[in-house]
Amino acid sequence: EPEVTQTPSHQVTQMGQEVILRCVPISNHLYFYWYRQILGQKVEFLVSFYNNEISEKSEIFDDQFSVERPDGSNFTLKIRSTKLEDSAMYFCATIRTSGIAGEQYFGPGTRLTVT
Amino acid sequence: AQTVTQSQPEMSVQEAETVTLSCTYDTSESDYYLFWYKQPPSRQMILVIRQEAYKQQNATENRFSVNFQKAAKSFSLKISDSQLGDAAMYFCAYGDNYGQNFVFGPGTRLSVLP
């Protein structure tokens, strides 16, 4: 069964450093998402991406965050200058198309630890 | 804006017994999707079951079934014949008519007692 993959599984970085989290969507999926889950809290929507541009973003997704699909396969989330509060699990999710397809496929997540 | 509420932070069930996890949501839309996701200690998000709001019939998936009450905006998950592997966080989620714009509830931690 096709699946969404994410790398790395765990990233440790120092405060102020830039990190790039990578996601490889399922090949025929067109919509991509990033979510964040701070330890012990609920999953929060960050951003959605379609047709090479952001379609929606939350208040969390400020100027420190950016997304792109640099090579037509990887979907990346960049945090320019990490803060302690960015420590969380980051999930990529993809969906084939809008409408009755209905469900998002989640990757296994990247655990980001900012020290 | 849509909201999802799970009023039970923690639940426990005896192995082989049945447990029901509650979820309520708020939306002004008439067409939407509802989901239950399972998050085991590995923290991967696994889809358990989904319900299209336009369908009156409750979704079932093996030992998992839902009680969807559209007028009451309630979407509970029933797990029958609970197994040790069912122990996890369970998140209720709302998605719009395009299956996007997900909103997650705060989660219910389910323990299964041997």
Side-chain angles (χ1 to χ4, degrees):
Chain A
E1 187 175 334
E3 58 183 23
V4 178
T5 59
Q6 290 185 242
T7 54
S9 58
H10 189 192
Q11 174 92 44
V12 181
T13 189
Q14 288 192 324
M15 196 168 53
Q17 296 296 304
E18 175 183 283
V19 294
I20 297 176
L21 310 183
R22 291 184 170 79
C23 168
V24 178
I26 295 172
S27 63
N28 61 348
H29 284 201
L30 301 176
Y31 295 80
F32 315 116
Y33 306 82
W34 283 103
Y35 293 87
R36 179 181 82 175
Q37 185 186 30
I38 294 171
L39 184 63
Q41 299 187 21
K42 68 178 179 180
V43 179
E44 300 171 294
F45 167 76
L46 290 177
V47 65
S48 59
F49 189 86
Y50 169 70
N51 201 26
N52 288 318
E53 60 183 29
I54 291 173
S55 43
E56 196 161 337
K57 59 183 181 179
S58 72
E59 293 176 351
I60 303 168
F61 194 87
D62 61 22
D63 292 342
Q64 294 297 315
F65 292 90
S66 62
V67 290
E68 63 176 0
R69 203 161 180 229
D71 55 10
S73 60
N74 289 291
F75 176 51
T76 62
L77 174 70
K78 182 192 291 185
I79 309 175
R80 289 191 183 84
S81 178
T82 50
K83 302 188 278 283
L84 294 176
E85 54 265 36
D86 294 327
S87 295
M89 282 288 284
Y90 288 82
F91 292 100
C92 172
T94 74
I95 189 171
R96 183 173 61 86
T97 183
S98 64
I100 61 172
E103 69 194 61
Q104 295 189 0
Y105 291 80
F106 280 82
T110 292
R111 184 189 302 272
L112 176 65
T113 302
V114 182
T115 61
Chain B
Q2 290 80 14
T3 58
V4 178
T5 302
Q6 293 176 251
S7 60
Q8 307 151 317
E10 295 184 1
M11 291 281 285
S12 62
V13 62
Q14 208 73 33
E15 197 176 3
E17 297 294 307
T18 296
V19 65
T20 299
L21 308 184
S22 301
C23 173
T24 58
Y25 59 94
D26 189 28
T27 182
S28 58
E29 303 295 325
S30 58
D31 291 327
Y32 47 87
Y33 293 84
L34 296 165
F35 306 85
W36 279 98
Y37 281 89
K38 171 184 177 182
Q39 188 180 46
S42 67
R43 299 193 72 185
Q44 183 158 0
M45 297 289 284
I46 302 166
L47 178 67
V48 175
I49 200 166
R50 77 170 189 187
Q51 173 84 41
E52 291 94 334
Y54 66 86
K55 288 187 177 178
Q56 293 187 336
Q57 187 173 7
N58 289 322
T60 63
E61 194 72 40
N62 300 316
R63 297 183 294 108
F64 298 88
S65 61
V66 297
N67 183 5
F68 174 48
Q69 301 289 327
K70 191 172 185 179
K73 296 180 182 173
S74 168
F75 182 61
S76 60
L77 174 70
K78 185 170 83 170
I79 306 174
S80 304
D81 185 25
S82 298
Q83 300 175 358
L84 295 177
D86 295 333
M89 282 289 286
Y90 286 82
F91 292 96
C92 179
Y94 168 101
D96 67 16
N97 190 35
Y98 300 95
Q100 303 177 47
N101 299 324
F102 268 42
V103 177
F104 284 84
T108 295
R109 182 176 301 282
L110 178 67
S111 301
V112 180
L113 309 173

